[in-house]
Amino acid sequence: MTLQRRLQALPAERLRAMRRGIEKESLRSLPNGQLALTPHPAALGAALTHPRITTDFSESQLELITGVHADVEGCLEELTRIHQFVVRSLAGVGDERLWVGSMPCGLPTDETIPLGRYGSSNVARAKSVYRMGLGHRYGRRMQTISGIHYNWSLPGLTNEEHFALIRNFRRHAFLLLVLFGASPAVCPSFVAGRDHPLQQLADREGAEAGALGMPYATSLRMGRLGYQSDAQAALAVSYNSLDSYAASLHAALTQPYPPYEKIGVRNLGGEYNQLGTTLLQIENEFYGTIRPKRVIRSGERPLHALRERGVEYVEVRCMDLDPFVPVGIQAQTIRFLDIFLLHCLLADSPRDTPAEIAELGRNQHRAASHGREPGLALERHGRPVLLMDWAAELLADCDPIALALDEAHATTAYGEALAAARAGIATPDSLPSARALATMAGDFGGSYTAFLRAQSEQTHQHLLALPWPAEQQAAFEAMTRESVAERLALEAAGTVDFETYRLAYLSPERLTA
């Protein structure tokens, strides 16, 4: 069946039933562009139990989470409200800002980057030990990279349809890196002491001096210096079915991995180094541009939830923070993601192979580090194809999808989002990664820190200036109180020691039973 016929089989009411939500990470930074080392602000509630505000890897790394939304505007309005509460809370206790770039601000030594702390309950301790393990395995600096995760669902999809979508997404994700990548440079502190291919973008002296990057890079976050793992690279996860995906992860979650066995579960002093010695401590450690997901029940393992009840939604994980947009992503980008995901669902999706999986990895790295380079070629079925030609083909295939979404929603916004993507491919200098480099060079002497400091300050003042009704403040303060009460209740209800809890949670039987 052709894409056009599959699209025609989707009635307008089903297109309107599409749902989305956003998880957005941001570091807390100081006025001088260095990482804030303060604890998670008490005004923001308990990171363990707050439904909208938590931390990611670091105590200094906020994660802001929307609910599920039927419309793009509602999703962005909630994300904006969460930001408003956060910046007002930060302004009330100090002089910190939300860092608006995906690549981190100035970092201290690796061991000084604070791990997320969640309390004394077993589930809270497990979260901190997991992060300790990530630090041992990959280094803490890598974990401070921030991004946007886009959670998307279309009711009525089967597991097979979800995995067909995922296979096509992985094939075509290079397009998202080129269009929306916004991390073409890094602060020199990020790669201090590491081998890297980055070029010096400015020769300056002083606290804010310098930037390292690549002239045609789109998303260093998604390249070899970003969220990558040599150990996981050997894990050729198949997305041909839920069974093949689950089997791949099951092995990584249950079989000891010698380099991590050397780290050990505990150090000589008895403190925990990591949750376990398997290739993956838990499911969330598996990196990828997209994940099949399902809402889990209390205490349930995510892989068990998928096996038991199937895929509920997909999580897109390759989106950089846009430093030119106050909340990191704009409506037009979200609408293009909707179009793109529908294209991935509706286009033919042959089964993947180990050779293709390796090819897609190489394509991702090329698009991340050289995506705007004239004449850049990717691999398709073992043959070279110009990135811009492939991108143009994909965008042409999206025309009927944008039209159908516009008709279903009585708007022209989807067609405009597709037209903007075409314009970006036609004029790469207009893309966010190119804008970031040009602004850095033209207005800030090539300084990464000075550029992101200015953008972060501008964003902070913009969010503070937005209307903020008293009832909104009261609603968020109530969430803060409720989250703290819930965390304290969990701590009071603990009945087993942490080691017993850890062994029970990591038991292979929990993945299947």
Side-chain angles (χ1 to χ4, degrees):
M1 189 184 297
T2 65
L3 183 153
Q4 187 74 46
R5 289 181 62 189
R6 293 188 184 103
L7 179 60
Q8 290 169 352
L10 279 178
E13 57 267 23
R14 195 159 167 220
L15 291 176
R16 288 193 291 270
M18 196 162 39
R19 296 291 182 267
R20 81 262 308 144
I22 289 173
E23 302 165 52
K24 188 250 193 182
E25 303 153 353
S26 287
L27 294 173
R28 289 185 289 112
S29 65
L30 297 173
N32 63 359
Q34 298 297 301
L35 184 69
L37 302 179
T38 49
H40 184 64
L44 302 182
L48 179 67
T49 48
H50 198 294
R52 297 291 176 259
I53 304 168
T54 183
T55 53
D56 194 67
F57 169 78
S58 174
E59 188 76 354
S60 312
Q61 186 177 35
L62 291 171
E63 183 174 345
L64 312 182
I65 307 164
T66 74
V68 180
H69 290 270
D71 63 297
V72 173
E73 287 76 13
C75 187
L76 282 177
E77 285 168 7
E78 185 184 18
L79 186 61
T80 301
R81 288 195 300 273
I82 300 169
H83 276 79
Q84 287 180 265
F85 177 70
V86 167
V87 298
R88 286 174 173 272
S89 298
L90 293 180
V93 296
D95 199 20
E96 296 176 0
R97 302 290 183 262
L98 291 179
W99 189 253
V100 299
S102 275
M103 300 308 283
C105 54
L107 297 176
T109 56
D110 204 71
E111 66 275 9
T112 312
I113 297 170
L115 303 177
R117 298 190 293 271
Y118 302 92
S120 60
S121 65
N122 282 328
V123 65
R125 288 190 65 191
K127 288 172 75 72
S128 291
V129 172
Y130 167 61
R131 284 155 174 76
M132 178 68 77
L134 294 177
H136 282 300
R137 292 169 175 220
Y138 315 111
R140 297 188 184 188
R141 288 178 192 171
M142 188 182 93
Q143 303 297 320
T144 62
I145 297 171
S146 298
I148 282 179
H149 297 170
Y150 186 63
N151 299 312
W152 183 91
S153 68
L154 184 69
L157 295 185
T158 63
N159 288 333
E160 291 72 22
E161 288 172 316
H162 276 115
F163 277 93
L165 181 162
I166 288 169
R167 289 194 300 275
N168 275 338
F169 184 95
R170 285 166 46 78
R171 290 175 177 120
H172 302 148
F174 72 87
L175 180 59
L176 299 182
L177 302 189
V178 174
L179 286 174
F180 305 114
S183 55
V186 301
C187 174
S189 68
F190 180 72
V191 292
R194 298 171 61 187
D195 291 332
H196 62 80
L198 304 181
Q199 304 171 18
Q200 185 77 39
L201 298 181
D203 185 15
R204 302 175 72 231
E205 295 181 359
E208 292 188 344
L212 295 171
M214 303 180 82
Y216 296 109
T218 60
S219 177
L220 296 181
R221 168 176 168 266
M222 296 303 298
R224 293 188 184 279
L225 288 172
Y227 260 107
Q228 303 293 314
S229 161
D230 290 339
Q232 290 190 27
L235 186 63
V237 173
S238 169
Y239 293 87
N240 287 328
S241 68
L242 176 55
D243 286 344
S244 65
Y245 175 79
S248 300
L249 284 195
H250 188 98
L253 290 162
T254 56
Q255 296 174 6
Y257 184 66
Y260 299 157
E261 286 185 296
K262 290 180 180 177
I263 296 172
V265 172
R266 298 202 209 193
N267 64 22
L268 293 176
E271 297 172 327
Y272 284 90
N273 285 331
Q274 54 187 342
L275 284 176
T277 60
T278 48
L279 180 61
L280 303 177
Q281 298 173 88
I282 57 175
E283 293 88 330
N284 283 354
E285 189 174 342
F286 177 56
Y287 302 135
T289 54
I290 187 170
R291 284 180 185 163
K293 296 292 288 281
R294 164 146 227 116
V295 175
I296 61 173
R297 296 165 181 163
S298 177
E300 185 179 31
R301 293 292 297 267
L303 187 56
H304 174 264
L306 284 176
R307 282 169 156 163
E308 187 80 8
R309 301 188 300 283
V311 183
E312 186 177 6
Y313 64 97
V314 295
E315 179 190 44
V316 173
R317 299 170 51 80
C318 61
M319 301 300 292
D320 283 353
L321 305 183
D322 187 337
F324 300 103
V325 176
V327 297
I329 190 169
Q330 60 185 339
Q332 196 169 75
T333 302
I334 294 176
R335 288 195 170 89
F336 183 83
L337 285 172
D338 292 344
I339 297 167
F340 183 81
L341 287 161
L342 279 173
H343 178 271
C344 293
L345 171 68
L346 299 172
D348 288 339
S349 183
R351 293 169 66 84
D352 60 35
T353 64
E356 186 189 29
I357 291 170
E359 183 178 86
L360 296 181
R362 292 190 294 271
N363 283 349
Q364 177 180 326
H365 289 148
R366 285 185 193 131
S369 59
H370 300 282
R372 290 179 290 103
E373 185 175 314
L376 179 68
L378 302 181
E379 300 172 59
R380 183 164 60 178
H381 312 308
R383 297 181 177 180
V385 56
L386 290 178
L387 183 153
M388 292 304 180
D389 289 349
W390 196 354
E393 289 175 27
L394 292 172
L395 295 176
D397 286 345
C398 287
D399 277 326
I401 299 171
L403 180 60
L405 285 169
D406 276 340
E407 290 176 349
H409 292 277
T411 184
T412 60
Y414 283 95
E416 290 161 6
L418 183 57
R422 273 205 180 88
I425 292 298
T427 55
D429 286 350
S430 69
L431 295 170
S433 54
R435 284 185 63 202
L437 287 177
T439 306
M440 208 179 300
D443 298 341
F444 298 97
S447 170
Y448 174 84
T449 300
F451 164 57
L452 267 301
R453 272 188 67 245
Q455 292 299 126
S456 299
E457 181 63 28
Q458 181 178 319
T459 296
H460 185 80
Q461 298 303 330
H462 169 83
L463 290 167
L464 284 178
L466 293 176
W468 186 241
E471 56 267 28
Q472 287 289 351
Q473 180 71 20
F476 275 94
E477 288 176 353
M479 276 193 273
T480 292
R481 292 191 298 271
E482 290 161 11
S483 71
V484 172
E486 187 178 346
R487 189 203 75 206
L488 293 173
L490 281 171
E491 292 172 353
T495 56
V496 299
D497 64 276
F498 179 70
E499 180 63 8
T500 301
Y501 171 89
R502 183 188 73 86
L503 291 172
Y505 186 78
L506 295 182
S507 167
E509 289 74 26
R510 292 283 294 274
L511 297 172
T512 55

